[in-house]
Amino acid sequence: MDSAETDWVSRFADDVIAEAERRAPGRPIVCASGLSPSGPIHLGNLREVMTPHLVADEIRRRGRECVHLLSWDDYDRFRRVPAGIDPSWAEHIGKPLTSVPAPPGSPHANWAEHFKSPMIEALAGLGVEVHGISQTQQYTSGAYREQILTAVRERARIDAVLSRYRTKQASGQASEPEDYFPYKPYCDLCERDLTTVTAYDDETTELAYTCECGFGETVRLAEHDRGKLVWKVDWPMRWAHEGVIFEPSGVDHHSPGSAWIVGGQIVGEVFGGQQPIGPMYAFVGITGMAKMSSSKGDVPTPSDALAIMEAPVLRWLYARRKPAQSFKIAFDQEIQRLYDEWDALGRKVAAGQAQPAELAAYNRAVHAAAGPLPATPHPVAYRTLASVADITTGHAEQTLRILSDLDGVESLDAARPRLDRAQRWVDDHVPADQRTRVRETPDQELLDSLGAGEREGLRLLADGLDDWTLEGLTALVYGVPKLQAGLPADAKATPELKTAQRAFFALLYRLLVGRDTGPRLPTLLMAVGAGRVRKLVGA
């Protein structure tokens, strides 16, 4: 990519490199993301990581040293007990996420690790290279001690910034500076943050607090490592401490008084740093959520997506849209259309016909700076694999026979991992009433009720089953109604012909699978086999 006009990633990379040269010439360029492991980390959160990943990856492709920091906000408080968790977990509300036990049955050490682990695994599968930072480790090790002392010393200045956005009290007065304290201790007895700072001495850094549990103590803030800065101060502190050049932020951070807006002023006025450059990113939606397992809740995760689609396809969804553009990720039938689009793009790229932005997004999807992502050696159309997986219920020999006939696939491994993703989609996201079950015996009642024209159509189909290729079977099922209408095989479709074809297809589906619709007929015929098809259509 040598032109800033190529795609949004290249344009941001240009801007970030120029900004880094201005701020910190000769030093590694720092991009950043932040995630809170308070619950399942969903596909909307993934945009927080993928946006800087793609930019950092482009910077590395250009031979520049770039680090992508991923801050795990695991020192945040536990706010609520999610649905499905024992209500007794309410006793942990107010504790750091790393001090809360993991959900029942989890192998992980604590709540935060339980939700971090699948995201770390998913990021590795996506080829996302990050340097993880635990905020629990940072705070409890004293890494931010000087920054905390600075924030507390400058609390009046911080309060003045916040007051520019704060809603006036009923009296018409904003809070007084001495009422504001930017540091929240965790109670040394109950571990919760239900604390109130009652006194502070700037000279000695002695801080007194009381907790709702009844405990109270006086500590020296210069030595205290059981508390954290409030969010609107914590974020800009990290920008300055880490020298962040690029970090995106969600649309929720851009309202007046939000952490991004306020932090942009606090970072310079209090910590002597600069706000990162970076876009606001839009919402990521889901189609087919109603079919998600209730055990997973209403927030499909990257792991859920990677179970039904290959990593390059998921990367592509984030790479092809500018951050400000919203998009949806399909868990329903739309995934088949998405894969058709992906395969069509692959053919355009191979033929040298892709537009520059299309080519850039494709290349970013299939290849990270560190190397290529796993690819399916013999990629069969996803909708075909889904149909085969549905019809065979995952039977390996049957699957290989059909894929060999369909597309010359020599081994199931050659069709993986795409085959496994399609199988998982069928198993997890196709409702039982839409699954395909080929009839064991002919529907004699239906066969006896057919008219002469319908019987003739079935006879023509049975007679034409000798061309056992996908193209041959496709020509056959579309051609029978043409033949019955006295039309040549290459006749253009008319409304009358389309009506006849739909009626013929519906008849075949009823005879083969007992309902009016199903997988694409050529694929279904190939899966069922010529002998069984002839038996079921009464020929």
Side-chain angles (χ1 to χ4, degrees):
M1 253 77 49
D2 56 2
S3 167
E5 297 305 312
T6 303
D7 65 330
W8 69 265
V9 179
S10 285
R11 290 194 292 274
F12 274 122
D14 291 342
D15 294 345
V16 172
I17 290 171
E19 188 69 14
E21 288 298 323
R22 187 180 69 78
R23 295 190 192 184
R27 296 178 61 186
I29 298 171
V30 179
C31 299
S33 305
L35 293 174
S36 176
S38 57
I41 299 170
H42 56 73
L43 288 160
N45 303 137
L46 181 58
R47 203 167 203 181
E48 166 76 23
V49 181
M50 286 304 300
T51 302
H53 161 69
L54 291 165
V55 173
D57 216 48
E58 170 63 18
I59 292 170
R60 294 186 193 115
R61 290 172 199 257
R62 299 182 187 185
R64 300 292 297 265
E65 189 176 356
C66 183
V67 60
H68 180 183
L69 301 178
L70 173 53
S71 278
W72 293 105
D73 291 318
D74 54 11
Y75 207 48
D76 286 1
R77 75 191 304 268
F78 181 56
R79 295 183 178 279
R80 66 183 67 87
V81 181
I85 300 296
D86 188 327
S88 68
W89 255 252
E91 69 181 86
H92 302 295
I93 290 175
K95 293 181 182 179
L97 294 170
T98 41
S99 295
V100 178
S106 171
H108 296 287
N110 57 58
W111 190 272
E113 291 303 315
H114 175 81
F115 291 107
K116 283 166 65 174
S117 180
M119 186 62 172
I120 290 170
E121 186 177 338
L123 292 177
L126 284 164
V128 175
E129 185 181 333
V130 292
H131 174 67
I133 297 175
S134 163
Q135 290 304 315
T136 297
Q137 199 278 329
Q138 290 291 93
Y139 271 105
T140 59
S141 70
Y144 296 146
R145 190 168 290 147
E146 290 304 316
Q147 287 76 16
I148 291 169
L149 292 172
T150 296
V152 170
R153 187 170 59 248
E154 297 291 335
R155 59 192 180 278
R157 189 189 299 269
I158 294 171
D159 191 68
V161 172
L162 297 175
S163 294
R164 296 169 199 166
Y165 303 94
R166 188 178 289 131
T167 303
K168 298 292 183 184
Q169 307 286 329
S171 64
Q173 299 294 315
S175 65
E176 294 298 319
E178 58 264 27
D179 295 335
Y180 175 77
F181 207 78
Y183 179 80
K184 190 77 166 170
Y186 280 112
C187 176
D188 196 53
L189 180 64
C190 73
E191 296 188 83
R192 296 178 295 175
D193 69 345
L194 308 178
T195 57
T196 301
V197 174
T198 57
Y200 182 71
D201 186 298
D202 283 290
E203 294 277 335
T204 63
T205 76
E206 283 193 352
L207 178 151
Y209 73 85
T210 59
C211 179
E212 288 184 17
C213 74
F215 181 78
E217 66 173 340
T218 299
V219 298
R220 286 190 70 237
L221 188 57
E223 301 168 352
H224 189 251
D225 298 324
R226 286 289 300 170
K228 73 185 292 287
L229 293 171
V230 298
W231 170 238
K232 289 182 180 180
V233 181
D234 173 269
W235 200 10
M237 177 275 289
R238 288 191 238 162
W239 291 338
H241 181 66
E242 295 161 352
V244 179
I245 304 294
F246 180 82
E247 182 170 4
S249 52
V251 65
D252 54 320
H253 287 308
H254 286 259
S255 58
S258 68
W260 177 266
I261 302 299
V262 170
Q265 297 172 50
I266 291 175
V267 66
E269 294 185 31
V270 175
F271 298 109
Q274 295 182 67
Q275 187 173 35
I277 61 173
M280 176 180 74
Y281 57 84
F283 180 69
V284 176
I286 305 294
T287 64
M289 265 185 61
K291 299 182 182 68
M292 291 293 290
S293 164
S294 60
S295 66
K296 295 185 185 300
D298 292 330
V299 285
T301 65
S303 297
D304 294 325
L306 288 172
I308 63 169
M309 68 180 71
E310 295 159 276
V313 178
L314 187 56
R315 283 177 66 95
W316 176 59
L317 291 174
Y318 290 85
R320 69 173 177 161
R321 294 281 184 257
K322 296 175 183 175
Q325 294 176 305
S326 60
F327 65 89
K328 292 183 177 180
I329 296 176
F331 282 78
D332 56 9
Q333 297 282 345
E334 274 294 296
I335 194 172
Q336 299 184 0
R337 186 201 57 76
L338 169 71
Y339 254 94
D340 288 345
E341 193 179 347
W342 168 253
D343 288 342
L345 175 58
R347 290 190 293 272
K348 285 176 70 174
V349 170
Q353 298 170 346
Q355 296 298 312
E358 290 180 316
L359 179 62
Y362 182 84
N363 286 337
R364 297 186 195 292
V366 301
H367 201 292
L373 275 79
T376 297
H378 193 142
V380 179
Y382 191 95
R383 65 175 62 246
T384 299
L385 292 175
S387 292
V388 173
D390 182 24
I391 296 161
T392 65
T393 62
H395 189 278
E397 289 182 19
Q398 271 277 80
T399 299
L400 181 57
R401 175 186 67 79
I402 298 166
L403 294 181
S404 177
D405 288 344
L406 275 173
D407 209 336
V409 174
E410 295 183 354
S411 74
L412 292 185
D413 283 344
R416 291 185 169 114
R418 186 181 290 197
L419 172 61
D420 296 331
R421 303 299 184 268
Q423 180 73 60
R424 183 70 176 271
W425 177 74
V426 170
D427 291 345
D428 291 358
H429 300 285
V430 177
D433 62 358
Q434 294 179 24
R435 297 291 297 270
T436 302
R437 294 292 178 264
V438 179
R439 290 183 60 90
E440 294 293 331
T441 58
D443 186 340
Q444 201 58 51
E445 184 179 347
L446 177 56
L447 288 169
D448 291 344
S449 71
L450 299 179
E454 291 169 314
R455 292 175 188 273
E456 182 196 22
L458 295 176
R459 181 184 58 78
L460 291 171
L461 175 87
D463 289 347
L465 288 176
D466 295 332
D467 186 352
W468 203 245
T469 64
L470 201 57
E471 294 78 11
L473 293 173
T474 301
L476 176 64
V477 296
Y478 281 92
V480 166
K482 294 181 183 179
L483 197 59
Q484 289 189 280
L487 298 171
D490 60 354
K492 290 282 193 285
T494 62
E496 295 78 14
L497 179 57
K498 287 183 179 179
T499 299
Q501 287 172 330
R502 280 196 295 271
F504 181 57
F505 297 166
L507 174 59
L508 289 177
Y509 281 126
R510 287 199 300 275
L511 288 169
L512 296 174
V513 297
R515 50 192 177 86
D516 290 341
T517 60
R520 291 187 69 242
L521 270 172
T523 307
L524 178 60
L525 294 175
M526 186 160 276
V528 175
R532 195 172 173 195
V533 169
R534 289 191 176 99
K535 175 185 172 185
L536 292 174
V537 301

